[in-house]
Amino acid sequence: DAGVIQSPRHEVTEMGQEVTLRCKPISGHNSLFWYRQTMMRGLELLIYFNNNVPIDDSGMPEDRFSAKMPNASFSTLKIQPSEPRDSAVYFCASSENRDRTEAFFGQGTRLTVV
Amino acid sequence: AQSVTQLGSHVSVSEGALVLLRCNYSSSVPPYLFWYVQYPNQGLQLLLKYTTGATLVKGINGFEAEFKKSETSFHLTKPSAHMSDAAEYFCAVSRNDMRFGAGTRLTVKP
């Protein structure tokens, strides 16, 4: 398996624009996580899915952020409208289940909002 | 609720010296604990994990960690640091979701 695949690797956008980040989890994994990493706040869990169903989105900063998982092999994180404070590295991770097994991380998407 | 606290945002050691990175957890149920390493511009990579059984767990690159319930700790150690160990290290606790500590940046001096 190629691991967790995220696209794009880098995204530069202007404030107010819509941004969509994409993630393909490892085949057979039934849990998927979205994290945001910044110098100030470290690694924050935004939302996680189990069997394509959002379980906990309490980490999503505000209504401008939304995430979907239409099927077991694809998830998106959307920011609309984007703001400079959204600049961060966004990681997607997947695991076989939520607890005992480790999460496998993608390479991340570095988002810069100018 | 569960959380982890990593003591020391930066740790510096000399090459060949002992590495000790501290992690304390808070969990209302028996925790599953993990250590991850992150190299620059990369995602996180698992070093080792504790779920059940033996409390001393060995991981990749010569690292190990011991789960101590009485101290609610899961400190990461390596007997002899190598230059290639320079990276950021994250402790994580998992029950339903995975929560990470703030990270510790390890610097290895020649």
Side-chain angles (χ1 to χ4, degrees):
Chain A
D1 199 310
V4 176
I5 300 173
Q6 290 186 247
S7 64
R9 287 295 310 277
H10 302 273
E11 176 80 36
V12 180
T13 190
E14 291 184 348
M15 182 175 62
Q17 296 298 305
E18 177 181 296
V19 176
T20 299
L21 310 181
R22 297 174 175 79
C23 176
K24 181 180 187 306
I26 292 173
S27 177
H29 284 190
N30 57 20
S31 291
L32 183 140
F33 309 84
W34 281 101
Y35 291 89
R36 178 173 68 177
Q37 186 176 37
T38 61
M39 290 292 292
M40 293 296 294
R41 302 175 69 91
L43 201 59
E44 303 171 276
L45 177 64
L46 301 177
I47 185 171
Y48 74 94
F49 295 83
N50 193 51
N51 293 322
N52 312 337
V53 176
I55 302 300
D56 184 353
D57 65 354
S58 60
M60 296 285 262
E62 47 197 276
D63 292 345
R64 297 185 296 107
F65 286 69
S66 62
K68 294 182 179 180
M69 193 165 185
N71 57 61
S73 60
F74 184 65
S75 178
T76 59
L77 178 67
K78 184 177 293 186
I79 308 172
Q80 166 64 18
S82 58
E83 297 182 2
R85 59 192 169 120
D86 302 330
S87 298
V89 180
Y90 291 81
F91 287 103
C92 176
S94 70
S95 69
E96 291 183 21
N97 63 52
R98 293 179 295 180
D99 292 345
R100 297 170 180 263
T101 58
E102 63 268 31
F104 291 81
F105 280 75
Q107 294 290 294
T109 295
R110 182 174 296 276
L111 173 65
T112 303
V113 183
V114 298
Chain B
Q2 55 190 14
S3 64
V4 291
T5 301
Q6 291 184 240
L7 300 176
S9 59
H10 291 87
V11 171
S12 181
V13 301
S14 298
E15 192 173 19
L18 171 71
V19 176
L20 171 60
L21 305 182
R22 300 177 187 273
C23 172
N24 288 90
Y25 69 90
S26 172
S27 178
S28 56
V29 295
Y32 301 136
L33 296 161
F34 305 79
W35 274 100
Y36 283 81
V37 61
Q38 185 181 30
Y39 298 102
N41 300 314
Q42 295 189 24
L44 278 69
Q45 176 186 357
L46 181 72
L47 276 177
L48 49 79
K49 66 179 180 181
Y50 168 79
T51 54
T52 59
T55 56
L56 181 63
V57 292
K58 296 185 183 299
I60 62 172
N61 301 338
F63 285 93
E64 62 182 36
E66 186 170 12
F67 170 62
K68 292 187 177 180
K69 184 179 179 180
S70 61
E71 299 177 7
T72 61
S73 69
F74 191 57
H75 301 332
L76 181 71
T77 61
K78 181 173 179 177
S80 177
H82 192 272
M83 296 297 290
S84 61
D85 295 326
E88 185 133 21
Y89 292 80
F90 293 90
C91 182
V93 60
S94 176
R95 271 293 191 175
N96 296 322
D97 57 25
M98 185 171 281
R99 303 283 175 171
F100 287 83
T104 298
R105 183 170 299 279
L106 175 66
T107 302
V108 181
K109 299 175 291 186

